[in-house]
Amino acid sequence: MKVVKFGGSSLADAAQFKKVAEIIHADKDRRYVVPSAPGKRFSDDIKVTDMLYVCYEKALRHENIDADFQKICDRYQGIIDELGLDLSLEQEFFYIKNSFMVRAGRDYAASRGEYLNGIILAKYLGFEFIDAADVIFFKENGSFDGPRSEQALQERLAKTSYAVIPGFYGSMPNDTIKTFSRGGSDFTGSVVASAVHASLYENWTDVSGFLIADPRIVKNPQTITTITYRELRELAYMGATVLHEDAIFPVSSAGIPINIKNTNRPEDPGTMIVKTSDEISPFYITGIAGKKGFSVIHVEKDRMNSEVGFGRRLLGVLERHNIPFEHLPSGIDTMSVVVSTHLIEGIRSQLIDQIQAETGSDIVQIDDGVALLAVVGRGMRKMIGTAARICAALAHARINLWMIDQGSSELNVIVGVNEMDFEKATQVIYEVFVDSVEQ
Ligand code: ASP
């Protein structure tokens, strides 16, 4: 049995609904369907979720929402009409609009995007509609209630072979609606897949899987055919986005693979996300991703190496300010802490003073403008010279390598470069691993 999730662009209009139905009906194992709200139909279109947020804000400010709300209804009505469905959502629209006026909550407002789309999709497919509010639960403190949701899903889905369960929201113990963070339908799909012990979680979107590098930086990068959950975590953390970052946890603990597929090119194999894989990419690396916006707190003190507790005192200052650190490259008498620049804005001089006072350091200095780049691949374990190739590629391009860090799991090498060299660094690393194999 497969659980399939379709993103907003896959359900943006009636033409996309038709593609989705064709995909679902082509395989009778595709039994439980999790839809997003209608997304963008063209690049400067507005997602229904965003329309709902805007409309609700207006309701909160006691502004007239007639025109905004009508635009939302029109999106759905257009889909219903074009699909020729015998379905009226008038009562739902009426009820939802009234709920906006009585301030039923921002999350409630946003969740209606998935809710209404789910009703239409269920009708079109001939599947049962199951309101996520009845099967996805949050705890009092707002965190997701896994065990309760799993039990409800198992009980409910045992009674029905084919169903549509809208993504993105669930209910709180007091019966109000709460949503996950943006893009959260991916998470709902993962929870459903894990609850029903699916053999596969298909996540249908508008790209044919993950790319080895960001296509805005590297021209026509290759697609990743297989990636492990851990590799994906590393790449996602560094900015590669296709899947909601929490979405891998429910399925990964159940050992269920995820297949990222393209609704507009269903014949493409997409990317398989698996627990472990012996298949090594011909490029040895699985992906490259990175982020700008890091700062380095550079600390120097004579005979630091013999001083017990120095690192703890230094990191203690950051901990008090609730600042997580990314990396900690160190020398004999130096230690550098890499942190996100936006987290230290406004408290720089305080940090410097406190570090100086608590560690007795000779020099404490903050440098901005650092980009981190992760080269990720399970193949590195078996390959000698990965770091050498990365360094050589950067050296040939005359890019100064500020830091290099290889995780002891040998799954990734992280390099720190100047922000202005970030794009070039990504390109030359891609070339040395991927283009060299292609030729
Ligand atoms: N519709 C929601 C959003 O735009 C959730 C989702 O699409 O997964 O974030």
Side-chain angles (χ1 to χ4, degrees), residues 212-260:
I212 293 183
D214 186 337
R216 289 166 299 189
I217 301 175
V218 172
K219 223 166 131 198
N220 294 327
Q222 298 266 346
T223 305
I224 300 173
T225 49
T226 309
I227 185 168
T228 63
Y229 297 126
R230 289 205 41 214
E231 289 173 317
L232 181 61
R233 279 282 294 155
E234 303 279 353
L235 289 174
Y237 181 67
M238 278 303 206
T241 50
V242 169
L243 199 65
H244 187 282
E245 68 165 336
D246 292 336
I248 52 176
F249 296 116
V251 278
S252 66
S253 51
I256 302 165
I258 309 175
N259 193 186
I260 304 290

Side-chain angles (χ1 to χ4, degrees), residues 19 50 55 60 173 178-179 233-234 285 389:
K19 290 182 194 167
D50 292 314
C55 189
L60 283 186
K178 179 169 167 57
T179 62
R233 279 282 294 155
E234 303 279 353
I285 63 161
R389 288 170 82 188

Side-chain angles (χ1 to χ4, degrees), residues 294-299 318 323 337-341 343-353 355 363-370 402:
F294 292 99
S295 296
V296 183
I297 307 172
H298 178 76
V299 183
L318 295 176
I323 300 172
V337 195
V338 184
V339 296
S340 284
T341 307
L343 296 176
I344 58 169
E345 275 339 341
I347 51 165
R348 285 165 186 264
S349 44
Q350 260 187 61
L351 278 179
I352 293 177
D353 292 348
I355 291 171
I363 298 175
V364 181
Q365 167 190 322
I366 300 182
D367 294 320
D368 296 329
V370 171
W402 181 87

Side-chain angles (χ1 to χ4, degrees), residues 36-37 47 49 114 168 182-185:
S36 278
K47 291 178 172 191
T49 309
E114 272 64 16
F168 192 38
R182 295 299 305 265
S185 301

Side-chain angles (χ1 to χ4, degrees), residues 41-111:
R41 294 159 292 184
F42 38 87
S43 67
D44 45 7
D45 197 14
I46 305 172
K47 291 178 172 191
V48 165
T49 309
D50 292 314
M51 296 167 83
L52 288 160
Y53 279 126
V54 169
C55 189
Y56 188 69
E57 292 302 324
K58 285 197 175 170
L60 283 186
R61 295 194 299 265
H62 297 289
E63 288 172 32
N64 186 312
I65 62 166
D66 289 354
D68 292 84
F69 196 80
Q70 191 55 45
K71 274 192 208 140
I72 296 166
C73 300
D74 290 347
R75 287 279 310 254
Y76 289 108
Q77 196 57 51
I79 296 171
I80 294 173
D81 293 344
E82 222 179 296
L83 294 177
L85 294 178
D86 176 19
L87 172 72
S88 167
L89 290 180
E90 285 309 320
Q91 285 208 348
E92 298 283 356
F93 292 153
F94 181 76
Y95 183 84
I96 293 169
K97 191 172 176 192
N98 280 331
S99 306
F100 273 44
M101 319 274 234
V102 298
R103 303 167 174 223
R106 196 177 134 81
D107 282 14
Y108 165 81
S111 75

